[in-house]
Amino acid sequence: MSNAKTLPRLLVLGTGGTIAGIAGDALRHEYRPGQIGIDEWLEDAAHLGMQAELTGKQIANLGSEDIGPDVWRALHSAISDAMADDAVDGVVITHGTDTAEETAFLLDLTLPATKPVVMVGAMRPADAVGSDGMRNFVNAVRVAGDPEASGRGVLVVMGDRVLAARDARKVRTRGTDDAFRGFPRGSVAVVTPAALDWFGKPWRDNTSARYAFPAEFPRVPVLYATGGLETWTAERLLGDDIRGLVVAGVGEGNLPDPVRQLLVERAQAGLAVVRASRVDEGLVDREPEDDANRFIAARALNPQKARILLMVLLANGKGAPDAIQSAFDSP
Ligand code: SIN
C-alpha cells in the first residue's frame, strides 16, 4: 500500500446500475440504469479533488437484475489480477443496488482479503435532484484508499455506512436513507467524503480466498413459502437438474407440512436443502428434526445470500449436510 505521501492507486470497475443511470429529466421517477460509462463517470469525479489515483475499467453496463455468472466471473478475474498487481492498492466496483449484496457476498467468499475491495451503488440516478451516486462513490474511494480496509473482505458502501458483504442487505426500494442495513452485524465503519471511522479491527485472520470461484454455477432455485403453499409449486422447482434448493420459509424457515414432506424426501435422497427465512431480519437456527430431515439452517443469511453460498459450496465439492451447515454457521 502507498505511504502517506503517495496517493492510493485504485481500480474502478463499472458494472452499471442506478449509479450509472440517467432519467433525462430531474423530476422524472423513471430512468434507465447503466447509461454512463466508467470513463465518463471518472471524468465527472475528477474535479472533486479526491486523494486517489483512479483508473477505470468497464466490466458491464447493466441493471443488476441482469448480473449473473458471466459478470461475476469477469469481476472476479479483474479483481484477482488487481490483487496480484503491485501498481493497484484497492478496487472499487460500481454496481446496481438491487443485487449488490449477492455479487459482493460471492466475491467475498472467493477472493483473498489482502487489498480493499469496495462495492458502491446509488438509489437515485446521476441526474436526479439529490442524487446520492457521487457522494457514495467519494465515500467508497475513501474506504478503498485506506489500508485499514484490507483484512475485512468485500465491503459495501451505501449512504455514509460501510457494511461487510456477509451482512449488507438492501432493505428499501426507494429513498437514500437507510436503504441498506447490516444484519446481524451493523455498520463496520462510518464514512463521509471528509472522514472515515472504523468500529473494530479487521476480522479475516487468514486473508486467502476461502473458496475457489465456481467453474460452473450449479442450479439452485429459491422456493418462496406462503401460508398454505401447495406442493405443486415446489414440484415445479424440483427438477432432476437442480443440485440444491433454498427455502425462503415463513418465520424461522418453516413450510406447510405437505411441502416439507416433499423436501424431506428429496433431501434424504441427496438434494442440499437450506431453510432460510422470508422475514427481513430472520435468523434461522437448526431445529432437532433437521438432522433426520438432512436440512441445513441458513442462520443469518437471507435466501438470496444462502443461494450464493450454497452454489459456491456445491461447486467446491462440499455437498454433505454437516459441511454445508458449518459453512453457514460462520460465513
Ligand atoms: C439496479 O440494481 O441495477 C437498479 C437499481 C439500483 O441500482 O438502485
Side-chain angles (χ1 to χ4, degrees):
M1 178 64 69
S2 308
N3 64 33
K5 290 199 182 116
T6 314
L7 296 181
R9 296 151 304 172
L10 306 181
L11 175 65
V12 183
L13 301 174
T15 71
T18 296
I19 192 166
I22 290 285
D25 176 338
L27 301 181
R28 253 175 63 176
H29 174 62
E30 301 78 30
Y31 66 95
R32 279 167 300 139
Q35 299 299 304
I36 304 173
I38 201 64
D39 291 339
E40 191 186 341
W41 178 266
L42 292 183
E43 253 173 64
D44 286 352
H47 71 278
L48 295 170
M50 282 180 281
Q51 296 298 297
E53 278 175 26
L54 306 179
T55 308
K57 179 168 181 180
Q58 195 81 52
I59 298 289
N61 213 353
L62 298 168
S64 71
E65 66 279 10
D66 288 320
I67 289 186
D70 291 347
V71 175
W72 292 338
R73 188 167 290 108
L75 279 172
H76 186 270
S77 156
I79 301 169
S80 300
D81 290 349
M83 292 272 180
D85 184 348
D86 288 343
V88 180
D89 295 315
V91 178
V92 175
I93 308 160
T94 61
H95 197 290
T97 62
D98 287 351
T99 68
E101 65 196 80
E102 290 162 63
T103 304
F105 186 47
L106 171 67
L107 295 173
D108 185 59
L109 292 168
T110 54
L111 283 169
T114 41
K115 291 182 185 177
V117 178
V118 179
M119 181 167 287
V120 64
M123 295 296 287
R124 294 184 181 142
D127 57 348
V129 176
S131 172
D132 51 330
M134 198 49 89
R135 182 184 177 99
N136 290 349
F137 180 72
V138 174
N139 286 347
V141 167
R142 180 167 283 279
V143 175
D146 184 354
E148 275 289 294
S150 50
R152 300 175 194 263
V154 176
L155 298 168
V156 176
V157 169
M158 280 296 291
D160 290 354
R161 293 168 193 235
V162 185
L163 305 165
R166 64 186 180 196
D167 300 323
R169 293 177 170 203
K170 183 170 183 173
V171 293
R172 290 182 201 272
T173 56
R174 287 194 190 167
T176 56
D177 287 346
D178 295 338
F180 274 62
R181 257 208 311 266
F183 179 80
R185 293 153 285 237
S187 313
V188 296
V190 285
V191 59
T192 68
L196 169 60
D197 284 306
W198 296 103
F199 296 148
K201 299 263 172 251
W203 53 87
R204 289 271 295 268
D205 294 341
N206 179 353
T207 50
S208 22
R210 289 173 291 170
Y211 301 101
F213 189 84
E216 296 277 343
F217 283 84
R219 289 194 175 172
V220 174
V222 176
L223 174 65
Y224 196 96
T226 56
L229 179 75
E230 294 170 80
T231 49
W232 64 262
T233 317
E235 276 156 2
R236 289 194 185 178
L237 286 181
L238 287 168
D240 288 338
D241 53 346
I242 67 167
R243 299 269 317 278
L245 180 84
V246 173
V247 174
V250 298
E252 213 174 320
N254 297 320
L255 283 164
D257 206 49
V259 181
R260 196 171 57 81
Q261 275 314 324
L262 188 64
L263 298 192
V264 168
E265 276 165 36
R266 287 299 299 267
Q268 289 177 343
L271 185 74
V273 176
V274 175
R275 295 190 302 111
S277 175
R278 66 179 198 173
V279 177
D280 259 359
E281 299 201 338
L283 273 174
V284 177
D285 285 330
R286 283 190 75 74
E287 55 189 20
E289 308 80 62
D290 283 341
D291 284 345
N293 291 345
R294 295 176 67 80
F295 285 173
I296 296 120
R299 307 293 303 271
L301 295 182
N302 60 17
Q304 55 271 38
K305 281 198 187 152
R307 174 175 176 267
I308 295 284
L309 178 55
L310 185 55
M311 290 192 296
V312 168
L313 292 169
L314 293 170
N316 277 267
K318 293 186 190 304
D322 52 350
I324 300 176
Q325 186 63 66
S326 80
F328 274 85
D329 289 345
S330 46

